[in-house]
Amino acid sequence: MNLGALVSETRNADSMDLDKLTTLDMVRLFNQEDRKVPEAVARELPAIAATVDLAAAALMAGGRLIYLGAGTSGRLGVLDAAECPPTFGVAPERVVGLIAGGPGALLKAVEGAEDSLTLAEEDLKALGLTAVDMVIGLAASGRTPYVIGGLRYARRLGCATAAISCNPDSPIAREAAVAISPVVGPEVLTGSTRMKSGTAQKLVLNMISTGSMVKLGKVYQNLMVDVKATNIKLVDRACRIVADATGAEITVAKAALAQTDYEVKPAILMILTGVDAAGAQRALERHQGYLRRALDDPD
């Protein structure tokens, strides 16, 4: 495929004089173009919802959610994966981000790594990919060989697959069971897909990871009840979550959390149902960690 023919690589008629604009007019143009991103993502909501369901099913079955990308797309996948353990209390190995060129490519480009059709297969084999896992390929252009090769390997194993690109009918879209293609149009800075395309991919990833975690019982109401209180800020957040969920005073929330090793779900159960810490843990285990179900049947 001719790279210059891609929507994401064409020139934006509204930014031809970008280098002549005043600073205010320049950032106004950036903002004007950025407004197109949520509209493009909105057109992909059915595909995003299908991907959320596939990701949740994979995780419920004991599989993993694996993001695969290069450059900005790869970094966004790694970022989303890295934020899942503190936010949702999942083990780091349950949501994984792979980037062409390995961890070093997060900080510095590894030239040529994304051009390999076999490197992603090697990376996935090193992870011990199995059919219960889900692989999501990310490439703004939709044509990155690293992502194409990884999706092909995942499909051969029988994995659920999805592809996120910012060009219509892209090669990676054809390699995946579900294609998410928010077409945001030409970038203000020609070909700089870290801009609108990167923003679109970040919005989609936010939906996929958060949506799948909601379905796994990691959320009660709109509260992150599996948050890990690993620092002062998160201890404070855990206290506020318990207080918000129960209507209790912060002092009561802190006292309950002190009995649950700062796990939020059992602390909420203790306050709302009157069970002790051990009883709260048993109720959660009986309901596979779903707090709402445990509240309906705490005994």
Side-chain angles (χ1 to χ4, degrees), residues 261-293:
D261 197 23
Y262 282 85
E263 289 189 27
V264 169
K265 285 178 179 177
I268 292 172
L269 262 175
M270 289 171 63
I271 294 172
L272 290 181
T273 68
V275 299
D276 61 15
Q281 289 287 7
R282 286 194 299 271
L284 285 164
E285 288 170 9
R286 213 167 43 247
H287 294 285
Q288 295 77 49
Y290 285 81
L291 177 57
R292 191 176 289 278
R293 296 175 191 172

Side-chain angles (χ1 to χ4, degrees), residues 68 98-102 118-129 146 153:
L68 188 72
L98 292 178
I99 182 169
T118 60
L119 184 58
E121 180 175 336
E122 294 170 14
D123 289 344
L124 290 169
K125 284 180 177 177
L127 278 181
L129 187 73
Y146 178 82
Y153 176 64

Side-chain angles (χ1 to χ4, degrees), residues 35-50:
R35 292 177 188 175
K36 298 176 182 177
V37 175
E39 295 174 2
V41 171
R43 292 190 286 270
E44 298 300 308
L45 291 178
I48 295 169

Side-chain angles (χ1 to χ4, degrees), residues 1 3 6 8-9 68-74 98-101 110 112-121 137-152 163-167 170-175 193 201:
M1 178 184 290
L3 188 63
L6 300 176
S8 61
E9 295 291 330
L68 188 72
T72 296
S73 300
L98 292 178
I99 182 169
V110 177
E114 69 178 65
D115 296 329
S116 170
L117 271 171
T118 60
L119 184 58
E121 180 175 336
L138 297 141
S141 69
R143 60 182 288 282
T144 305
Y146 178 82
V147 178
I148 292 171
L151 286 171
R152 284 178 181 170
I164 304 171
S165 65
C166 293
N167 284 283
S170 68
I172 69 166
R174 295 192 292 270
E175 296 293 342
T193 52
Q201 290 176 91

